[in-house]
Amino acid sequence: MTRSIGFALGVIALLAAIFGPLPEGLSREGFIVAGLVVLMAAWWITEALPLTATALVPFLVLPFAGVMDAKETASAYYSPILFLILGGAFIALAIERVGLHRRLSLGILRLAGPHAGPGRLLLAFMASAAILSMMISNTSTALIMMPVALAVLAAAEEGCLLNAPDVYMDKLAVVKSLYMDSFAHGSANIQMNSGRVLQGHPALGAWIAHGLGSANKNLPSFVVMVTKGKGGQPLVSRLWGSGFLPSENQGLRFRSGANPVLHLQNPSGIGRDSRRLMLDRLRERRKLPARTNYAEWRAEELSYYLDIDGVKEDTWSLPDDRTLSVTRQRHPMGGLLLLFKDITGELNLQTKFNAIVKTQASTLDNLHEAVVVFGGDGRLKLFNKAFERLWSLDHDELKDHPDYSDVIEDCVPLFHDLDVWDAIKGHITDPSARARQSTTGEMRRSDGSILTYLTHPLPDGNTLIAFADVTATRRVESALRDRAEAFEAADRLKTEFVRNVSYQLRSPLTVIFGYAELLETKRNGDLTERQTDYVSAILSASDHLSKLIENILDLAMIEAGRMDLDLKDVDLSHVIEESIDMVVSKAEDTQIAVRADIKGKLGVIRADERRIRQVLFNLISNSLRFTESGGEIVVSSQRVGDMVTLSVRDNGRGLAADKRATSFDSFVSGDQRGAGLGLALVKHFIDLHGGTVGMKPVDGGGLEVTCWLPVKVTKVVQNQEMLLTESLPA
């Protein structure tokens, strides 16, 4: 908390001095220097930053604030006097780090003599300082002599007094003792030897061996001697063990008897033959790696017991598909220490990881899209071959993981819009949530090609960019769009043509029909029998032509998508009966019976009554044309769930199977059932109502056409662009 307050106080003081109002009689440069003094004092006292960093603040602030230039500021830091003092401090510190100050202190004591008093000791220090001052400055000499003087005082405190008979450190023995409040003598021994009350920590000898090492690696780090006789204090292994340090730093205990060192020789009954037998049995149990020359490998393993230099490590691949890491090293108490570690899982994971990496690289290289991955620092992390080819980049340069700007510099000749490149860079380097979003865009390059790009943030903080060449796709889309527009224009022309033709045909037809009816009324005189037949033929032909024109116009409106249905509640039974009545006179002339077969109650459906009448009229009329005299036509209907069936069945000539497939097509002509537009209009009208149409032959001859209409009829609004349905209640 104190550091934060100090840091904030210093920053506020400096900002106030730079941007705040000036006190009267004080320049801006002087005010900035005052603010800088406050900042350094606050940071120095609270240690908001390390002192070394605080000391460098003036070097940054003064040049930027315009108080002093960098050269003048640096000259204050790089003063020769400061370097002289700093160099002396470095030398003094180096002497202290390597322990040379202790050797110098012993030399001074040796120079003064074993029985030297304070005077002779002071004279020795003066002589040493005089010799040093001849080679270095006086300031450096004082800095160097300081740790030497402290070493002399430390030696005096440890018992190496001036009046001691011998002052050689190599011949001194240090006896440590301590006083504890605990009643347990063992805990005191542990603390005295390891510095901790709890066991498991390295002893003093282990720490020294760990720090300084050993001159001879074949000898123990240190030796331990126990007291002689029964009354002595036992020195158990926890008092001189290596603790959590490596076992090679452990001491060796001397024992009385013929073999003072334990484990220096093989245990009784254990020799080279026993070890060889152990390896053979492990091999029989498939616990050893399979070797082509087992005898040679076994001899090498047995040699490690006698002579091993340092640490020997290798791996064993066992027959049971396990892999072991084997470490061999000398044991501090003699013999050989073998450490086995099962690394099967680690190797499997490494193998899987390598396989995944190879699969990933192979997948990326075989992608059609160009893929590149940039890190949050803007440097290239991953790319595929398609990216190289697409932007004509050098593989060796990309392998060095260049910066985004360097990569884009080579891409600019093909795409010049720097705003797009800068926007992509923002998605790479900007860590904000707004920038870490997936984006897409399109590039039109200078070579005429069109690319789409995608930026996608990855979970690890990187950003993936994918480029796809859509030039061919865009050309196909343009061609299809032009084709669709041409078809649409053709449809419009066809519709307008059919409409104009229908109008041009209907106008003279109306005149013909009107004069024929005038002649039939006999207002201008009686007609002969032959003239009457001619007038009837004219009226029949005019009626047929009028219906044909109307059918053509309806079909054109349907195909143009401009046919709208007038939906309302329709009594289907009533419509069937009226449709039969419309053709009954014609049926009587041909001696064909037409009857209705309504099963159950049909109810009211929602449909376009006019179009349903056209459907029935066309179906019945078509059956009349192809039914022989004395035949029968049955119009049936029934309600099945949410559907209503409407069928027309006759016992006429029927229709071949190969003709039924095209019977509902428009402008089918020929000498077969379904010629013309009647059945085509039937299918279109039923489709507009959301129903279906089908036909099947009748046993014994004839044909049955069935229409399925939904009870809950959907309202169909059709135009040139879309087909919209809306469910309406029945």
Side-chain angles (χ1 to χ4, degrees), residues 56 66 80 153 246 253 290 364 417 579 644:
L56 293 175
L153 294 176
R253 177 180 176 183
L364 288 177
D417 195 342
S579 299
V644 173

Side-chain angles (χ1 to χ4, degrees), residues 72-91:
E72 292 176 345
T73 307
S75 63
Y77 281 92
Y78 299 106
S79 172
I81 301 300
L82 292 179
F83 266 89
L84 178 63
I85 297 174
L86 187 62
F90 284 164
I91 296 174

Side-chain angles (χ1 to χ4, degrees), residues 331-380:
H331 196 276
M333 297 172 53
L336 185 68
L337 177 64
L338 288 91
L339 302 175
F340 298 90
K341 181 181 179 182
D342 192 341
I343 59 173
T344 307
E346 298 177 10
L347 291 180
N348 291 337
L349 290 176
Q350 184 67 32
T351 302
K352 292 180 180 179
F353 176 76
N354 294 335
I356 292 174
V357 171
K358 291 181 180 179
T359 303
Q360 181 189 46
S362 178
T363 302
L364 288 177
D365 288 338
N366 288 278
L367 286 177
H368 178 70
E369 293 79 8
V371 178
V372 62
V373 177
F374 287 95
D377 57 353
R379 302 197 68 86
L380 181 68

Side-chain angles (χ1 to χ4, degrees), residues 448-674:
S449 61
I450 302 174
L451 306 181
T452 59
Y453 67 88
L454 165 71
T455 67
H456 183 73
L458 300 178
D460 57 357
N462 299 330
T463 302
L464 180 142
I465 306 174
F467 299 91
D469 192 343
V470 295
T471 307
T473 304
R474 291 290 185 269
R475 291 174 180 173
V476 172
E477 291 176 355
S478 179
L480 291 176
R481 189 165 48 252
D482 295 341
R483 184 179 179 184
E485 292 176 355
F487 278 130
E488 185 178 352
D491 286 339
R492 287 197 301 269
L493 291 175
K494 181 183 70 174
T495 303
E496 294 298 328
F497 173 77
V498 172
R499 183 178 295 175
N500 292 331
V501 170
S502 299
Y503 175 77
Q504 296 296 330
L505 291 176
R506 190 174 292 177
S507 296
L509 184 62
T510 303
V511 175
I512 295 172
F513 197 76
Y515 280 116
E517 286 183 340
L518 181 62
L519 293 174
E520 188 182 27
T521 58
K522 300 179 181 181
R523 292 180 180 180
N524 297 323
D526 295 333
L527 300 176
T528 63
E529 182 179 355
R530 189 172 184 181
Q531 291 174 336
T532 302
D533 294 338
Y534 288 161
V535 171
S536 298
I538 293 173
L539 289 174
S540 179
S542 300
D543 182 66
H544 178 72
L545 183 59
S546 177
K547 288 183 172 58
L548 181 61
I549 293 173
E550 185 177 355
N551 289 340
I552 292 174
L553 185 59
D554 288 341
L555 184 62
M557 294 293 289
I558 292 173
E559 292 182 350
R562 296 193 175 103
M563 176 65 71
D564 295 334
L565 298 181
D566 183 16
L567 296 178
K568 59 184 179 180
D569 293 340
V570 177
D571 188 348
L572 189 58
S573 301
H574 182 68
V575 172
I576 294 174
E577 294 174 356
E578 289 186 349
S579 299
I580 293 176
D581 293 338
M582 290 174 61
V583 296
V584 75
S585 60
K586 187 176 181 179
E588 290 177 350
D589 295 340
T590 56
Q591 297 180 357
I592 298 174
V594 181
R595 65 182 180 86
D597 182 16
I598 300 175
K599 300 177 181 179
K601 186 177 181 182
L602 299 180
V604 177
I605 67 171
R606 195 164 181 84
D608 190 333
E609 183 176 350
R610 178 189 173 199
R611 302 306 177 186
I612 299 298
R613 291 179 183 274
Q614 282 186 259
V615 169
L616 289 171
F617 181 80
N618 287 336
L619 292 177
I620 298 173
S621 299
N622 189 67
S623 295
L624 286 173
R625 288 198 305 270
F626 298 97
T627 302
E628 302 295 337
S629 179
E632 182 184 38
I633 299 174
V634 180
V635 181
S636 61
S637 180
Q638 65 177 342
R639 182 165 179 168
V640 182
D642 294 334
M643 301 294 293
V644 173
T645 64
L646 183 64
S647 63
V648 178
R649 184 180 72 252
D650 61 60
N651 54 2
R653 297 197 302 265
L655 187 63
D658 58 337
K659 303 298 183 181
R660 291 199 295 270
T662 60
S663 59
F664 292 104
D665 294 343
S666 302
F667 299 103
V668 176
S669 60
D671 201 9
Q672 75 265 9
R673 298 285 298 256

Side-chain angles (χ1 to χ4, degrees), residues 213-244:
S214 177
N216 192 335
K217 59 185 176 181
N218 294 323
L219 294 178
S221 298
F222 62 97
V223 296
V224 180
M225 296 177 289
V226 299
T227 54
K228 186 177 181 180
K230 297 182 179 180
Q233 177 66 39
L235 194 63
V236 295
S237 60
R238 64 176 178 270
L239 302 179
W240 50 272
S242 60
F244 50 77

